[in-house]
Amino acid sequence: MSKIGKFLAIPAILALIASFMPYTNTTTAKAATASTLVWSDEFNGTSINTSNWTFDTGAGGWGNNELQYYTNRSENARVSNGNLVIEARKESYGGAAYTSARLKTQGLKNWTYGRVEARIKLPQGQGLWPAFWMLGQNITQVGWPACGEIDIMEHINLESVIHGTIHWDNNGHAYYGNPSGNIDVTQYHTYAIQWDTNSIKWFVDGVQFNEANIANNINGTDEFHKPFFIILNLAVGGTWPGNPNTSTAFPAQMLVDYVRVYQ
């Protein structure tokens, strides 16, 4: 897999992890009050802030047999009406049948611990895979999954849930995650993690739906005590969602109102 690609294994691996990684799936747990805003992008300007974001570009499947070619063109990523617009298009480009965009703060901004959140409106459709996630900044040195991965929000196809997951290396690829409760992803929601020395907790609109225990590097989770950078992307096709079909509407847009980090 590509060092900057994203692979999400679906078959159950290391099933006993669940017994060590407690979580909640409830409508009563509320997000902890965040403290100090240390970084944000409100997307209120007229162009993407290159002090905050850079692009991954190219095709090649990105470790997941994805179908899109990621570009840095305004057709695929732009700021408009107070949103970052990431647009997947059905078009022939660079040998691929679709285009889209993948933005990241790698090499520009990274954080260890805090509350990381974004307000996002998602597209729905067979073969669409939008994500708001993080990778360890040491990925170019240690590779994936040893760098660690925090999926704050992933959505596929026509599902009425989003997924929160972590991936790491524990003598091989390990992962742990859970889905949220039912929501209408085509409306704006705030997706967040609260991350500290003991745990990573996932929230939708302030309601907790998942928790992973990382205290004392349990189960080899030392990756999650190091700096991470943020990624926003809209993939098309891939091992998890499968390919688009004739019902999938293009262009498809992922709208990001803001991204904020509190520590």
Side-chain angles (χ1 to χ4, degrees):
M1 77 128 229
S2 166
K3 290 191 292 184
I4 57 173
K6 178 165 185 290
F7 175 84
L8 198 155
I10 302 307
I13 299 175
L14 301 176
L16 60 79
I17 291 170
S19 65
F20 295 99
M21 306 289 282
Y23 73 96
T24 59
N25 190 1
T26 173
T27 58
T28 58
K30 296 295 181 179
T33 301
S35 52
T36 303
L37 181 67
V38 297
W39 179 86
S40 72
D41 198 325
E42 306 294 323
F43 304 113
N44 288 331
T46 58
S47 61
I48 293 169
N49 185 342
T50 56
S51 295
N52 289 337
W53 305 99
T54 185
F55 288 84
D56 278 327
T57 58
W62 298 90
N64 308 295
N65 298 311
E66 296 166 27
L67 302 177
Q68 77 288 327
Y69 191 109
Y70 283 132
T71 85
N72 59 4
R73 305 179 305 160
S74 60
E75 290 92 336
N76 297 116
R78 58 190 177 273
V79 172
S80 177
N81 296 321
N83 288 282
L84 169 65
V85 181
I86 300 178
E87 183 171 304
R89 301 167 65 93
K90 186 176 182 179
E91 59 180 339
S92 179
Y93 188 95
Y98 303 89
T99 61
S100 190
R102 174 160 136 164
L103 288 77
K104 59 184 183 177
T105 68
Q106 184 179 19
L108 300 171
K109 312 285 182 182
N110 60 79
W111 304 269
T112 307
Y113 310 135
R115 179 177 175 85
V116 183
E117 69 176 35
R119 185 171 181 262
I120 306 175
K121 182 177 181 179
L122 301 175
Q124 277 189 320
Q126 171 58 40
L128 298 180
W129 185 1
F132 166 42
W133 52 299
M134 305 180 78
L135 282 172
Q137 73 161 0
N138 62 351
I139 186 171
T140 56
Q141 287 78 47
V142 303
W144 186 95
C147 62
E149 174 178 329
I150 304 171
D151 298 320
I152 304 171
M153 178 284 301
E154 292 184 288
H155 180 265
I156 59 166
N157 302 337
L158 299 170
E159 288 188 349
S160 58
V161 300
I162 60 99
H163 299 267
T165 312
I166 54 172
H167 299 259
W168 73 102
D169 179 44
N170 188 24
N171 296 314
H173 173 214
Y175 69 93
Y176 176 82
N178 282 288
S180 69
N182 290 337
I183 58 172
D184 180 358
V185 301
T186 66
Q187 303 302 309
Y188 284 101
H189 295 280
T190 301
Y191 302 105
I193 56 165
Q194 190 81 30
W195 170 30
D196 59 31
T197 57
N198 295 313
S199 66
I200 302 171
K201 300 175 182 178
W202 285 256
F203 301 87
V204 176
D205 297 330
V207 178
Q208 183 179 333
F209 71 91
N210 190 24
E211 179 175 354
N213 178 11
I214 59 171
N216 301 311
N217 299 337
I218 187 172
N219 296 319
T221 53
D222 53 292
E223 289 94 324
F224 302 108
H225 302 283
K226 298 173 184 177
F228 276 63
F229 60 89
I230 292 171
I231 306 170
L232 294 161
N233 72 286
L234 174 52
V236 180
T239 306
W240 189 13
N243 293 346
N245 59 28
T246 56
S247 71
T248 309
F250 289 96
Q253 292 185 348
M254 173 182 178
L255 303 181
V256 185
D257 182 23
Y258 61 75
V259 183
R260 298 171 182 166
V261 180
Y262 299 83
Q263 289 183 327

